[in-house]
Amino acid sequence: MGERLPLVIYFLSMVNWAQVLFNSSVTGCIYLISAVGLTLTYGLSKFPNFAHAEFMTLGAYAGYFLADQLGLGFPSAFVAAFIASGILGALSYRGIFQPLAKRGASLIHLMVAAIGLGFVIRHFVGELWGWSPRSFKVTWSAFDIGIVRVSDLWLWLIFAALAMAGLMHLLLTKTKIGKAIRGTSSNPELALASGVNINRVTLVTWLVGAALAGIAGLFRGAGTRLSPMLGWDILLPTFAVTILGGIGSFYGAIAAAFIIGLAENIGVVFLTSFGISTEYRMAIAFLILIITLILRPGGLARMFR
Amino acid sequence: MGKKLILLFVVFLLLLPVAVACPAAPVPGLPEEIKIGCVMSMTGALAAMGVNMRDAAKLAVSEINAAGGIAGKKVTLLVEDDATDPAASLLAIKKLVEVKGVKVIVGPMISGAVMASGPYVAERGVLLLSPSATSPKITEQPWTHWAFRTCPSDIFQGAAAAKIIIDKGFKKVAILVMDNPYGVGIETVAKEALKGKAEIVASIRYDEKKLDYLTELGIIKDKKPDAVLHVGYHDDGAIVYKQALGLGLDIIQWVAVEGVHGMPLDKFPEAGKFMAKAVVGTVPQTPEDLPAFKKFRDVYEKEFKKSTTVYCDSTYDATKLVALAIKEAGVYDGAKIRDALWKVGKKYSGASGTISFDEKGDRIAASYGIWKVELVAGKYHFKTIEFITLK
């Protein structure tokens, strides 16, 4: 190791850090859009929804169907992903999770039901569109801004994430339904006593959360490829973001998404400079997660209240 | 405690018949139905390639049966999916061996799968003959004589890729490989071959399942190499090229190997665009004027209404060689078939050229095609531009 150190320092000095930061925000933005839905539905329904992965997958394929297979152009994919996943989320809640919860299902029951639902959707997508990967026929134009290489897809992604964060912030703080979501999340009995229609609030949250997952899936699909495993592949980091941010906390998730994105990308740089496979990038993200949880068991959420 | 003992005893009793049944001596002579296992990717990253290879094996079996089978006995090909995944592959092989009683298998496809299955097949006395697992690491294993190959080891291919880089006079090389026995195998050989001839400015191993390589590619960009040596499969390769195109890495020369050859480029237009502009690669390929290859290709194309792709010829040869070895052995027994395979695998002239096995079950000598991607009439396709032979 001693001889390698100067080499490592040389290596690190050669890296375009502006690009690494930019890549981190690209990674972070996808995690953010997908984690918001997961964290909000957890806040209200109090169980980890593993089918969230497939909400992403379905959104990506719905977008692919409209944009590529029907040839309506890429912007139509956003509408399709948002609506298809949103409806799927709302239906899942109404048809599966709400009835289960009413019959006294525990956390484990709900979790297993969610895993089962995820399998059903994943295989449904696999049978409908095939198991081999597909790719959007759109070619993204890439260009340099200073020393950072960007593509219009990545800029759209960052714009979408910022817009989503802004809108969600306004929704949660300024509107009646948003206040009801926050109220129900922190104290359901009190919210109920204050006349909040908990069922409606929860349904809206599932709808919006799943719709956002669909958008995240679409971006992931457009940036890489479509496959029935698309959502499952990024569910783990999405959970990491949710937990690091403090489960149920929207603002915690924003910070956590960028921390995990940064950890993964800086991780790649360090791993490479030591000649280690970049497979371990997620391990670095999880290391940060574990350390944070030891120091702050509630995640980052407390810092944002 | 007493209950536990009784339970253990019952389990022992249940297992007894299995233990007694297992070491059954090979029945002299051949069974009425001769089973040949075939483990290929029907799904997974190399599904496009695996389906074509399975068809080559099917073709060989139907030809064998049409010619009267093996010593008059009918041959059945039992196909299982390896999903381009080592664990799935081992499960598929276990199913063939334990449930169907198969003693010889054409496959699995990838090196990682052979590495995962080797100890198991050696223990059970089952012979693998892979048409496409190319990692040099397989040769170093204690069970290597249970894993034969009709494809050349990447000791040749790593050298062939390095030769392209050296011949073109590139001095600064970045290496980007999948972190699996196949990728690391070529990386090791190529590094050795490039030593003293070119400087290696970055050497990156990536996770072929992560499917997001922006930062890895960003590092390569910062190192400003003249050439990139890349080892990937179809799925990850398509994303590496798509993102490399986005980062503007199409202005440097990429040298790839056969793992990305035959990628369905109509599905990945951006990868096609990038490859047409920046990538050349190697692929184990039989010179097309070889009569045995021509004959195989024509029959295959007629039968399946599609062109042959990489390793179809070596799959066809593997299946035919297995049949010859079973006939030579005269019994359906893994070890005997293997010993017979050494006998019949001497200067065997197959569709993929002359096949001779060394004492480790590896193929001696190899010929490679150097390919590039061309855009003809709006469609990207792979074209071989020259052949090299290595010994």
Side-chain angles (χ1 to χ4, degrees):
Chain A
M1 209 58 151
E3 306 152 22
R4 286 208 70 160
L5 207 60
L7 218 78
V8 169
I9 291 168
Y10 167 74
F11 191 98
L12 293 178
S13 70
M14 291 273 296
V15 171
N16 179 349
W17 288 99
Q19 185 76 51
V20 173
L21 281 179
F22 178 77
N23 294 349
S24 306
S25 47
V26 170
T27 315
C29 281
I30 288 213
Y31 293 166
L32 172 60
I33 303 177
S34 72
V36 165
L38 192 63
T39 203
L40 287 182
T41 50
Y42 188 95
L44 291 181
S45 302
K46 306 288 182 225
F47 76 94
N49 174 27
F50 282 90
H52 198 74
E54 277 66 33
F55 292 174
M56 293 188 240
T57 312
L58 187 89
Y61 275 92
Y64 174 76
F65 179 69
L66 234 67
D68 262 36
Q69 292 183 313
L70 297 184
L72 296 182
F74 196 71
S76 72
F78 284 97
V79 183
F82 194 85
I83 294 177
S85 295
I87 291 176
L88 178 69
L91 282 180
S92 310
Y93 175 67
R94 260 288 144 79
I96 299 170
F97 302 120
Q98 194 185 26
L100 277 176
K102 268 193 184 148
R103 285 170 176 75
S106 72
L107 174 78
I108 299 289
H109 296 123
L110 290 167
M111 211 167 74
V112 172
I115 294 172
L117 174 68
F119 268 113
V120 171
I121 302 171
R122 189 191 309 164
H123 286 262
F124 174 76
V125 167
E127 288 308 316
L128 218 56
W129 280 284
W131 286 92
S132 64
R134 287 160 180 264
S135 168
F136 278 100
K137 293 224 162 44
V138 197
T139 308
W140 306 102
S141 56
F143 45 92
D144 292 306
I145 298 182
I147 51 165
V148 180
R149 184 83 174 176
V150 303
S151 85
D152 41 10
L153 177 72
W154 302 334
L155 292 179
W156 272 111
L157 168 61
I158 293 174
F159 171 74
L162 291 177
M164 189 247 5
L167 285 175
M168 285 304 287
H169 171 72
L170 289 178
L171 179 87
L172 288 173
T173 53
K174 299 281 191 264
T175 65
K176 219 174 139 188
I177 180 91
K179 287 177 187 164
I181 290 175
R182 286 194 300 156
T184 313
S185 171
S186 59
N187 193 336
E189 284 83 16
L190 192 63
L192 195 62
S194 329
V196 171
N197 182 344
I198 290 190
N199 282 338
R200 198 170 69 98
V201 165
T202 315
L203 186 69
V204 169
T205 308
W206 274 82
L207 190 132
V208 173
L212 289 175
I215 298 287
L218 180 65
F219 273 116
R220 171 77 178 176
T224 59
R225 59 54 175 129
L226 293 146
S227 118
M229 297 300 286
L230 178 147
W232 190 253
D233 287 343
I234 51 171
L235 188 66
L236 206 58
T238 302
F239 264 114
V241 167
T242 314
I243 294 166
L244 182 63
I247 292 172
S249 162
F250 167 65
Y251 302 101
I254 297 182
F258 290 98
I259 292 174
I260 299 280
L262 204 60
E264 265 193 45
N265 284 282
I266 291 182
V268 169
V269 175
F270 275 92
L271 288 168
T272 312
S273 67
F274 281 104
I276 304 170
S277 163
T278 60
E279 251 171 288
Y280 299 101
R281 61 203 270 176
M282 273 317 289
I284 292 187
F286 276 92
L287 201 64
I288 291 184
L289 176 66
I290 291 166
I291 294 170
T292 315
L293 288 183
I294 290 172
L295 298 176
R296 283 178 173 275
L300 302 172
R302 296 276 303 275
M303 295 159 71
F304 297 95
R305 284 217 174 119
Chain B
M1 194 62 202
K3 264 190 189 165
K4 261 193 186 163
L5 268 179
I6 292 170
L7 196 72
L8 263 179
F9 185 67
V10 171
V11 169
F12 175 75
L13 277 185
L14 284 174
L15 283 176
L16 205 58
V18 181
V20 175
C22 268
V27 189
L30 288 167
E32 280 312 307
E33 181 198 28
I34 297 172
K35 292 170 183 165
I36 298 180
C38 176
V39 176
M40 300 282 159
S41 299
M42 301 296 106
T43 62
L46 293 180
M49 201 162 144
V51 171
N52 292 347
M53 290 162 67
R54 174 204 58 194
D55 289 342
K58 275 188 175 171
L59 179 64
V61 167
S62 67
E63 284 180 6
I64 294 163
N65 282 332
I70 300 173
K73 319 277 177 171
K74 188 173 168 282
V75 178
T76 323
L77 189 74
L78 300 170
V79 181
E80 287 291 329
D81 182 12
D82 74 8
T84 324
D85 177 71
S89 191
L90 177 57
L91 279 180
I93 289 172
K94 277 190 175 168
K95 181 179 167 192
L96 285 173
V97 173
E98 310 290 345
V99 182
K100 313 266 179 168
V102 166
K103 292 286 179 200
V104 54
I105 293 168
V106 176
M109 268 174 74
I110 59 168
S111 300
V114 173
M115 295 293 278
S117 318
Y120 169 76
V121 292
E123 188 202 310
R124 300 304 308 262
V126 171
L127 178 66
L128 299 180
L129 179 52
S130 174
S132 55
T134 53
S135 174
K137 292 205 165 180
I138 294 171
T139 317
E140 298 158 14
Q141 305 305 317
W143 42 260
T144 182
H145 52 283
W146 287 103
F148 277 56
R149 301 189 263 183
T150 48
C151 58
S153 157
D154 281 333
I155 292 188
F156 296 115
Q157 186 158 218
K163 188 174 175 315
I164 297 179
I165 291 171
I166 296 164
D167 286 355
K168 293 200 177 198
F170 294 122
K171 292 288 171 225
K172 286 168 77 182
V173 182
I175 300 180
L176 179 68
V177 302
M178 296 182 289
D179 190 23
N180 62 18
Y182 171 56
V184 175
I186 293 189
E187 181 197 18
T188 313
V189 176
K191 266 188 178 164
E192 191 60 37
L194 287 171
K195 202 175 265 174
K197 307 245 171 60
E199 181 197 357
I200 291 161
V201 293
S203 186
I204 301 175
R205 296 174 180 181
Y206 67 84
D207 176 3
E208 82 260 25
K209 299 240 160 80
K210 176 73 191 176
L211 303 179
D212 176 13
Y213 310 111
L214 277 180
T215 302
E216 284 90 337
L217 292 166
I219 291 171
I220 290 180
K221 195 182 175 195
D222 299 335
K223 301 288 169 183
K224 300 188 176 60
D226 314 323
V228 181
L229 172 63
H230 171 233
V231 182
Y233 291 144
H234 292 176
D235 282 15
D236 54 294
I239 288 159
V240 165
Y241 297 151
K242 178 181 192 162
Q243 295 188 328
L245 184 70
L247 286 174
L249 285 169
D250 50 340
I251 52 168
I252 48 180
Q253 179 68 58
W254 285 57
V255 178
V257 289
E258 99 281 20
V260 295
H261 186 266
M263 187 190 289
L265 294 176
D266 49 331
K267 277 192 195 160
F268 302 112
E270 287 171 306
K273 189 176 164 193
F274 179 83
M275 289 174 88
K277 217 170 156 190
V279 186
V280 295
T282 55
V283 60
Q285 197 171 28
T286 322
E288 283 174 4
D289 47 7
L290 189 83
F293 175 76
K294 258 191 194 158
K295 195 176 147 217
F296 160 70
R297 187 188 56 193
D298 293 346
V299 176
Y300 185 99
E301 285 175 1
K302 204 174 144 218
E303 180 81 21
F304 302 109
K305 310 272 179 296
K306 61 184 177 188
S307 339
T308 58
T309 47
V310 61
Y311 294 132
C312 280
D313 50 1
S314 60
T315 309
Y316 176 82
D317 287 348
T319 316
K320 286 260 166 126
L321 273 167
V322 162
L324 277 180
I326 295 174
K327 190 178 172 193
E328 170 77 24
V331 283
Y332 193 62
D333 172 77
K336 297 252 164 63
I337 296 171
R338 182 198 60 198
D339 295 343
L341 189 56
W342 264 310
K343 271 189 217 158
V344 297
K346 263 192 195 127
K347 300 216 166 130
Y348 170 80
S349 47
S352 64
T354 307
I355 299 176
S356 297
F357 295 114
D358 64 11
E359 74 279 12
K360 307 258 187 186
D362 281 350
R363 193 168 167 172
I364 302 166
S367 62
Y368 288 94
I370 296 174
W371 53 262
K372 63 175 187 171
V373 171
E374 274 187 344
L375 182 64
V376 178
K379 279 199 145 185
Y380 293 105
H381 66 107
F382 290 85
K383 189 184 173 203
T384 302
I385 43 182
E386 65 176 289
F387 286 97
I388 44 177
T389 303
L390 295 170
K391 274 182 187 166

